[in-house]
Structure formats: structure tokens, C-alpha cells
Amino acid sequence: MTRWGMVIDVKKCISCYACVIACKQEHFLPPGVFWRRLLVTETGEYPHSRKWTYPILCNHCRNAPCVQVCPTGASSRRSDGIVTIDPDKCIGCQFCATACPYQRRSLIDQGEKEYFPGQGLTESEIIGKTLYPHRVGTITKCNFCKERIDGGMDRGLKPGVGREATPACVLTCPVKALTFGDLDDPESKVAKLIWARKGYRFLIESAKERSVFYID
């Protein structure tokens, strides 16, 4: 079996927001909608304080609370561990958004909203309506760039290794803080990082079988 997952090296992250912007560009996300965010905090006191940055995204849980509460079956988990949303089934009830312990689901609540109000849609926004349309009144979230994964694998590429089969955020990170691969493959880079660096998950009391790990 394959279970796709991500390892995030907190020590490497420089809070540049490149992964956040790459995600928005890849999926043509409308204004105000983010599949990724950065949680920035600080420990200690000056002059010995330290800044910590944690990129936050959908954790693609095995027993995902969002899937369990969805009344229409719009939220589901694929055999490879990716949790997805079917916009044709989503009714925008937001039960899943409430259930998500990471608060990483967003409602598309406005149509034709411009990034630059009064100046019309940009060329990128117009292209996005064709390549990656978002339906108003539905929930959206990170899907590990499943289109890239599926398309790349169809061409014989390995996710996390082949660029065209790897999530956009991983490719964009300038310091290589993000690593993607098969968590169930002991020889994969993500599995080795988790073992060697004692990878951990957020919200440990409910974090069993999450697919996003952190190392520091």
C-alpha cells in the first residue's frame, strides 16, 4: 500500500511564504482562501528568544473527522491516503470545517471577487476559471496537488522525486524544508527522516495516523 505524506523541517523554514503563494498559484485560489498558512510563534525572552514557524495544511488523516461528519459523502479518503472533496456533492454545510482539528478547510463564499477590485480579473484569474474552477458555496482544501501526483504517475514518475509528480509547495521551497513521499515505504526519504529525526505530529492527542510530520 501507498500512503502519501509530507515532512516539514522546522529548523530550515525561513517564513518566506513561498509555499503559501505557490499553493495559491497552482490551484488558482480566490482572494482570502488559503490551503496553507504559517503559524509563527516565539519562545523565551530577549535576548535569548527564538522564533518558530510551522507551515500548517490539511493533515490527510486516516480516520479523518471531516470525512466522518460529511452528510453527503463529498469528503472522502483515497486508497493512497489523500483526503479529497467532490464539489459536485458538497452542499457547503461546513460540518467538515468545524470538525477539522487543524482548521484547514475554507468555504468559497464569493464569486467573481477580484484580487484588484475595480480593475477587472487578471489574466491568471481568467485562466484559473477554466483550468481550476471553484464553485461558490462549496468547501475547499489542500489535496497534496493530487492532479500532479496522478498525472505524473501516469507518466511513470515517482511523487517526491519527479518534479511533475510532486506538490507545488515542495518544489517551491527555497531551503528544501518540505519533503514528500510514501510514508509506508521504509526506504523513502520521508520515512527515513521521520525515523532519524524523531518526526512528530501536531495536536498529539488526536494526531494518530496523520500524514504530515514535523522535525526540528
Side-chain angles (χ1 to χ4, degrees):
M1 293 293 291
T2 296
R3 181 164 61 101
W4 300 119
M6 186 177 295
V7 174
I8 302 173
D9 191 329
V10 176
K11 284 187 175 180
K12 286 185 177 181
C13 181
I14 57 174
S15 308
C16 67
Y17 286 83
C19 61
V20 176
I21 300 304
C23 179
K24 285 187 71 73
Q25 291 179 329
E26 179 75 15
H27 304 284
F28 298 94
L29 301 181
V33 176
F34 295 87
W35 284 3
R36 300 179 65 96
R37 289 187 182 274
L38 298 188
L39 174 62
V40 182
T41 186
E42 191 172 285
T43 58
E45 296 183 0
Y46 179 84
H48 304 293
S49 60
R50 177 174 178 179
K51 177 181 178 182
W52 297 85
T53 304
Y54 297 91
I56 305 296
L57 64 156
C58 171
N59 276 237
H60 298 274
C61 315
R62 185 184 296 273
N63 296 310
C66 55
V67 173
Q68 296 172 12
V69 302
C70 180
T72 65
S75 291
S76 62
R77 182 178 181 274
R78 305 192 332 176
S79 60
D80 60 5
I82 299 178
V83 176
T84 64
I85 302 173
D86 184 344
D88 292 330
K89 294 181 179 180
C90 180
I91 58 175
C93 65
Q94 301 185 65
F95 288 174
C96 60
T98 301
C100 176
Y102 302 97
Q103 300 180 15
R104 291 310 330 124
R105 289 186 167 225
S106 302
L107 176 68
I108 305 293
D109 59 356
Q110 298 185 54
E112 296 295 335
K113 186 177 180 181
E114 304 169 353
Y115 268 95
F116 304 97
Q119 298 184 36
L121 297 176
T122 65
E123 182 177 351
S124 177
E125 290 173 277
I126 294 173
I127 294 174
K129 290 183 178 299
T130 301
L131 297 182
Y132 215 107
H134 295 280
R135 182 178 300 176
V136 176
T138 61
I139 293 291
T140 186
K141 70 167 195 70
C142 163
N143 58 18
F144 272 165
C145 289
K146 64 181 179 65
E147 298 85 4
R148 297 181 64 88
I149 292 174
D150 296 343
M153 291 184 68
D154 286 343
R155 298 194 297 275
L157 302 176
K158 186 175 182 179
V161 179
R163 287 185 60 83
E164 295 182 7
T166 299
C169 57
V170 177
L171 298 175
T172 305
C173 181
V175 294
K176 307 301 181 185
L178 310 179
T179 305
F180 188 80
D182 183 2
L183 296 173
D184 287 345
D185 178 5
E187 296 302 316
S188 69
K189 189 173 181 180
V190 286
K192 289 181 178 180
L193 280 173
I194 293 169
W195 182 84
R197 302 274 299 277
K198 295 180 173 58
Y200 58 92
R201 306 173 177 100
F202 263 6
L203 301 178
I204 191 64
E205 69 278 3
S206 62
K208 185 178 181 181
E209 299 299 344
R210 306 311 198 215
S211 296
V212 175
F213 288 77
Y214 296 83
I215 55 177
D216 53 28

